Amino acid sequence: QVQLVQSGPEVKKPGTSVKVSCKASGFTFITSAVQWVRQARGQRLEWIGWIAVGSGNTNYAQNFRERVTITRDMSTNTAYMELSSLTSEDTAIFYCAAGHYGDYWGQGTLVTVSS
Amino acid sequence: EIMMTQSPATLSVSPGERATLSCRASQSVNSNLAWFQQKPGQAPRLLIYGASTRATGIPARFSGGGSGTEFTLTISSLQSEDFAVYYCQQYNNWPRTFGRGTKLEIK
């Protein structure tokens, strides 16, 4: 069956970076796209960016453009989202979602930024 | 950036009744709109794409409508498991953008 399995929770210091992974199975990863979404506790969904797996083309939200990098490794069917210059406002659950419309979602990764 | 406005912020409806949620785009997104359902502690789930096409496994009581800038999600007869937060997202333009969500609660 289709699965997106994300890496485990992270605790980071302000100013550092975090890299979250998203491993896909059960569908053709290379023809898919992956988007990343942030959700602070009790808050709305916030779109971070997107990667077309086959071409590697990316697109990022303006709010994150200067400090986010989304990549993929087709040999392991895994997408990555790296966010730098973390602040306490980045404390949130980060989701990956695959498929053109966000058809499949990972379980979420809690990133806590605290000194 | 296209702004997505959802209304109302909270909707109180009794089980078995009909619920209609609205989503408005700040400019036309054609039919490139999706609806997601999110329950507490869970990841969002795709309900509708292309404004009106149900995703795989989504019950027929969920229906989407609209095009351009005005969209609706209708749940024809609310079941207990439908009480959740619903988000719309446009994918017509970069960046993709979400609305702030509508919380559907039991009346």
Side-chain angles (χ1 to χ4, degrees):
Chain A
Q1 77 280 20
V2 172
Q3 272 196 307
L4 287 177
V5 179
Q6 297 185 222
S7 48
E10 301 264 12
V11 179
K12 294 292 184 180
K13 300 284 189 189
T16 63
S17 299
V18 68
K19 190 170 186 177
V20 181
S21 68
C22 172
K23 184 172 177 59
S25 60
F27 65 100
T28 307
F29 186 63
I30 193 171
T31 61
S32 186
V34 177
Q35 58 182 318
W36 288 87
V37 175
R38 181 176 79 173
Q39 187 172 41
R41 186 180 180 88
Q43 301 300 310
R44 63 182 292 185
L45 302 174
E46 190 173 11
W47 192 80
I48 297 171
W50 170 98
I51 186 166
V53 174
S55 65
N57 289 340
T58 56
N59 212 296
Y60 300 122
Q62 181 66 38
N63 285 352
F64 295 94
R65 188 162 294 153
E66 293 186 4
R67 59 190 189 102
V68 70
T69 304
I70 296 174
T71 56
R72 89 291 190 224
D73 181 343
M74 290 187 285
S75 68
T76 60
N77 283 5
T78 304
Y80 299 91
M81 188 280 304
E82 184 169 21
L83 189 63
S84 63
S85 302
L86 293 169
T87 73
S88 59
E89 293 187 352
D90 293 311
T91 294
I93 296 174
F94 289 78
Y95 293 103
C96 64
H100 184 70
Y101 310 111
D103 308 59
Y104 319 116
W105 288 69
Q107 83 275 20
T109 296
L110 176 62
V111 175
T112 303
V113 183
S114 174
S115 55
Chain B
E1 175 173 316
I2 295 178
M3 300 296 292
M4 306 301 293
T5 302
Q6 291 187 242
S7 61
T10 303
L11 183 60
S12 299
V13 183
S14 299
E17 292 188 342
R18 181 187 197 95
T20 301
L21 290 64
S22 296
C23 175
R24 174 179 293 176
S26 59
Q27 65 187 75
S28 176
V29 297
N30 298 301
S31 293
N32 296 314
L33 183 108
W35 289 94
F36 296 89
Q37 177 194 66
Q38 188 179 33
K39 297 179 181 179
Q42 297 186 16
R45 176 175 72 146
L46 177 67
L47 298 176
I48 301 283
Y49 62 91
S52 61
T53 302
R54 280 190 302 277
T56 303
I58 301 303
R61 63 180 182 273
F62 291 90
S63 62
S67 66
T69 61
E70 301 282 346
F71 300 89
T72 57
L73 173 69
T74 300
I75 311 169
S76 60
S77 178
L78 280 163
Q79 308 296 304
S80 58
E81 62 266 29
D82 299 334
F83 292 96
V85 180
Y86 293 82
Y87 294 93
C88 60
Q89 184 199 38
Q90 68 81 20
Y91 52 91
N92 193 69
N93 286 49
W94 300 111
R96 296 187 178 189
T97 45
F98 288 98
R100 290 189 171 273
T102 291
K103 181 179 181 180
L104 182 57
E105 63 177 27
I106 300 174
K107 187 174 182 179

